[in-house]
Amino acid sequence: MKKIIVTLSILATTLSLAGCSTGEEAETTSSSNDTSKQVQKVDENNKQTSKSELNKEKIMGGIAITPQSFRAIQDDSINTNTDQLVKVTVNVKNNSKQETGISSAPFFLKNKGGKELQFYGELNEFGTIIAPGKSVKGEIYYIADKAATSYELIYNPSAVTNEKNVKQHKLIWKLEGLTK
């Protein structure tokens, strides 16, 4: 019960701060200095066929989010014939001048077909308050199809509140090259 109360208070703080942004702050992105961590595949005509945005920082409302790892995890509690447990590790930095909350709730993972993957709640305890200028690292778990190779990680805080009057802003990363 205590975990639920803490998670809800963190979520409320996150959403209230996201709702207070001026709307002038558009989604911005910046590449990580370590571009060797980004995966790119090039075909014979030198055209980019796919690109993983792992380690690419994106910013919304004073919060900088960077997915740092994308891994398959061994877990016998799921149907291992067709499914696998996937762990996404994110780094979140508070660039604003006030405390802000972050949790796993506004993060979604979709496969290439657009199907939203099931959130694996038993391990998702990522939720905290971040002081201005500070960073936290969190792990978010999903149940994914073993056959899928391409995913989208989506950060969409307005989807959690189901507010219809709020202009929906979201950040999206392409994640490929699932490591084991």
Side-chain angles (χ1 to χ4, degrees):
M1 185 66 176
K2 184 178 178 184
K3 287 182 183 180
I4 292 172
I5 292 171
V6 169
T7 302
L8 290 175
S9 70
I10 290 169
L11 183 59
T13 303
T14 302
L15 296 174
S16 67
L17 289 173
C20 292
S21 67
T22 63
E24 295 172 13
E25 196 169 343
E27 171 186 330
T28 58
T29 62
S30 65
S31 297
S32 171
N33 290 337
D34 189 3
T35 56
S36 64
K37 291 182 181 178
Q38 292 188 0
V39 178
Q40 294 183 351
K41 296 179 184 174
V42 179
D43 68 11
E44 297 167 351
N45 298 325
N46 207 24
K47 291 182 183 176
Q48 184 176 320
T49 56
S50 64
K51 177 181 176 183
S52 180
E53 294 180 306
L54 199 59
N55 293 305
K56 184 172 184 177
E57 178 182 82
K58 296 189 180 189
I59 301 171
M60 176 190 286
I63 299 173
I65 302 171
T66 308
Q68 294 184 320
S69 70
F70 182 50
R71 313 187 152 269
I73 304 295
Q74 178 64 36
D75 190 306
D76 296 332
S77 67
I78 60 173
N79 180 359
T80 55
N81 293 329
T82 58
D83 297 328
Q84 61 187 341
L85 186 61
V86 174
K87 176 175 80 171
V88 179
T89 303
V90 295
N91 186 59
V92 182
K93 183 175 182 185
N94 182 0
N95 291 329
S96 73
K97 295 181 181 180
Q98 52 189 318
E99 285 185 336
T100 189
I102 189 73
S103 73
S104 56
F107 287 92
F108 303 92
L109 191 65
K110 291 186 177 183
N111 66 14
K112 189 175 182 177
K115 178 184 174 194
E116 188 175 310
L117 301 180
Q118 183 180 344
F119 196 64
Y120 194 69
E122 293 177 18
L123 297 174
N124 285 318
E125 294 183 11
F126 174 47
T128 191
I129 301 293
I130 310 171
K134 299 294 181 182
S135 297
V136 296
K137 201 179 271 191
E139 298 170 343
I140 309 165
Y141 296 85
Y142 302 92
I143 298 175
D145 185 351
K146 279 187 174 180
T149 58
S150 182
Y151 298 90
E152 282 187 342
L153 178 65
I154 301 165
Y155 175 73
N156 186 1
S158 60
V160 179
T161 61
N162 291 323
E163 291 183 35
K164 297 183 189 241
N165 295 335
V166 176
K167 185 177 179 183
Q168 285 206 355
H169 292 251
K170 58 185 169 184
L171 303 176
I172 301 173
W173 295 264
K174 279 180 109 177
L175 299 181
E176 297 182 4
L178 185 64
T179 59
K180 297 188 183 212

